[in-house]
Amino acid sequence: MKKTRILLADDHALVRRGLRLILDAEPDLEVVAEAADGAEAVAAASEVEVDLAVLDIAMPRMTGLQAAREISRRAPGVRILILSMYDNEQYFFEALKVGASGYVLKSVADQDLLEACRATMRGEPFLYPGAVTALIRDYLQRAREGERMPESILTPREEEIVKLIAEGNSAKEIAETLVISVKTVDRHRANILQKLGMRDRLDLTRYAIRAGLVEP
């Protein structure tokens, strides 16, 4: 039996250990790489041969959603599952937009994760009951109003800056994290505020929560 090679990303070591025990106990699943943040996950997906990336939605440096989008771009053959503590429709729809095949709630991961992994590898989406309800409601709403979900108008780097601002980092700290100059950070911030029609850090923090870049 060919095992599904899994990349597991979560910033909590205990959570990773617990999930790994669940996955490695199965004859058809094997965790071959771990990551403690989104940037590590993107690097691991490029360096190690994996079939499936299981990504926590809330991680430092780069969220699971940002990592999913980057992995989909760099390694389109890797399938993706998003893990979250929150039954949040916005996060669920964002996960679909970045190419994830499913959204698994951590509270029931011991029950749902194995089924989600296998469904994803069969090319089927994995939807928990609340997500199915959200999808149907969204479809009916769009049908009534003829609307489409807007694509993000920010670049991946701008989203990265917004996330770091919302997490309370100073311009100097952001510059050090991203290895760019403070002047470049300030220029990005000004462009972001102009694009979004916003005024300050508080506005950006609210936007980051709505967009699923940080958890409330």
Side-chain angles (χ1 to χ4, degrees):
M1 179 188 296
K2 184 179 181 296
K3 291 192 175 188
T4 296
R5 297 170 301 237
I6 297 171
L7 160 63
L8 182 59
D10 193 294
D11 56 323
H12 295 98
L14 280 175
V15 173
R16 285 203 313 276
R17 191 173 306 140
L19 294 174
R20 181 167 194 154
L21 284 171
I22 292 170
L23 294 166
D24 282 347
E26 299 300 306
D28 57 329
L29 305 172
E30 178 185 17
V31 176
V32 296
E34 292 187 28
D37 61 50
E40 281 186 16
V42 171
S46 302
E47 294 164 3
V48 181
E49 191 175 349
V50 299
D51 305 305
L52 173 65
V54 179
L55 309 172
D56 179 27
I57 201 167
M59 293 187 287
R61 291 179 65 196
M62 184 184 280
T63 68
L65 295 174
Q66 291 171 304
R69 181 167 49 214
E70 193 62 21
I71 290 170
S72 294
R73 187 179 70 80
R74 294 189 188 188
V78 176
R79 293 180 178 173
I80 294 166
L81 279 175
I82 294 291
L83 277 173
S84 178
M85 288 174 61
Y86 298 100
D87 181 354
N88 181 300
E89 287 184 21
Q90 177 69 27
Y91 293 166
F92 166 65
F93 285 120
E94 289 291 331
L96 296 184
K97 278 171 60 180
V98 298
S101 298
Y103 187 96
V104 179
L105 296 178
K106 284 187 177 181
S107 58
V108 288
D110 56 331
Q111 304 162 38
D112 286 354
L113 184 57
L114 299 178
E115 182 187 343
C117 289
R118 290 172 179 136
T120 298
M121 293 313 297
R122 290 195 301 268
E124 302 167 5
F126 177 83
L127 305 175
Y128 65 95
V132 176
T133 303
L135 265 182
I136 294 169
R137 187 163 58 241
D138 180 70
Y139 176 82
L140 294 174
Q141 182 75 11
R142 288 191 194 195
R144 279 196 299 269
E145 299 178 4
E147 290 184 1
R148 291 175 57 83
M149 256 180 110
E151 294 294 324
S152 174
I153 61 171
L154 300 182
T155 66
R157 173 45 63 96
E158 287 170 343
E159 285 191 351
E160 205 169 6
I161 301 270
V162 170
K163 173 177 164 55
L164 290 167
I165 289 172
E167 289 173 344
N169 293 281
S170 67
K172 184 172 182 293
E173 288 167 335
I174 294 171
E176 289 170 355
T177 299
L178 301 180
V179 197
I180 57 179
S181 70
V182 172
K183 190 178 290 186
T184 300
V185 173
D186 290 338
R187 190 171 68 247
H188 276 305
R189 183 177 180 277
N191 289 341
I192 292 163
L193 289 170
Q194 184 178 18
K195 273 187 181 183
L196 298 176
M198 293 177 179
R199 294 189 309 266
D200 53 27
R201 177 186 289 267
L202 184 59
D203 284 342
L204 288 178
T205 301
R206 289 183 183 130
Y207 171 84
I209 291 169
R210 287 199 308 272
L213 296 173
V214 295
E215 291 187 350

